[in-house]
Amino acid sequence: MSDTPRILLLDNDAKIVELVAWFLGSKGYEVRTARSFAELDAALAASGCDLLVSDVDLGTESALVELPRRSAAGTLPRTLVVSGFLDAANQGVLAAVPEVVGTLAKPFEFEALEEAVAAALAPGGAGGAPEGVAAEGPPGARDGHPAPPTADGPGSPPADDDGWIEITPQG
């Protein structure tokens, strides 16, 4: 068995999956991807992972439903949740899932992702979000939570947000 940490990236956005998988691979992690919870189950059955990096909103599926379900079934690995939907209510749901060892708000910078992954993989996990990581987020974020929802509706990104992660390589 390899000493290289195995990360399973769960997100339904192909561009995000490609970019984040490339970045984590460039940092020496073995990265596999899944675009749905069915793909996640198949990947875990095939070879497991050391860390699941999961988005919350997967289109027709929600990690807020699926992560607690898999935790109760004993099939959820150590998990870092990366999402633009980390308001207080969602943080509460995720905090109740023992395998969720950290969260990182989108948009984020590569450096913050790298720190969050390293903290989540550390012995004992991150014990919650790594210091300073949950505070990353869109303008107006406070106390580790994104800015309040806009007139677009509860949990909606701001009207000028085109849905893409804004990652800035450090250099």
Side-chain angles (χ1 to χ4, degrees), residues 51 80 82 101-104 111-121 126 130 133:
L51 180 66
L80 171 67
V82 179
V101 295
T103 59
L104 178 63
E111 183 178 272
L113 175 63
E114 184 176 12
E115 290 172 6
V117 166
L121 286 167
V133 170

Side-chain angles (χ1 to χ4, degrees), residues 73-162:
T75 60
L76 185 65
R78 182 182 296 211
T79 302
L80 171 67
V81 176
V82 179
S83 177
F85 299 100
L86 293 176
D87 62 17
N90 292 349
Q91 287 276 18
V93 170
L94 296 170
V97 179
E99 294 86 353
V100 174
V101 295
T103 59
L104 178 63
K106 292 179 183 177
F108 56 82
E109 296 195 18
F110 276 136
E111 183 178 272
L113 175 63
E114 184 176 12
E115 290 172 6
V117 166
L121 286 167
E131 186 175 328
V133 170
E136 294 288 330
R142 60 175 166 56
D143 300 325
H145 302 292
T150 65
D152 297 331
S156 296
D160 63 344
D161 186 349
D162 62 2

Side-chain angles (χ1 to χ4, degrees), residues 23-113:
F23 173 72
L24 293 174
S26 76
K27 295 301 180 180
Y29 297 106
E30 177 186 318
V31 182
R32 292 177 301 129
T33 63
R35 305 258 314 265
S36 68
F37 280 96
E39 287 183 23
L40 170 69
D41 293 340
L44 289 173
S47 63
C49 68
D50 297 308
L51 180 66
L52 171 64
V53 177
S54 177
D55 191 8
V56 168
D57 180 12
L58 297 174
T60 60
E61 300 176 301
S62 172
L64 299 173
V65 172
E66 296 298 331
L67 296 181
R69 180 181 299 159
R70 283 163 171 73
S71 177
T75 60
L76 185 65
R78 182 182 296 211
T79 302
L80 171 67
V81 176
V82 179
S83 177
F85 299 100
L86 293 176
D87 62 17
N90 292 349
Q91 287 276 18
V93 170
L94 296 170
V97 179
E99 294 86 353
V100 174
V101 295
T103 59
L104 178 63
K106 292 179 183 177
F108 56 82
E109 296 195 18
F110 276 136
E111 183 178 272
L113 175 63

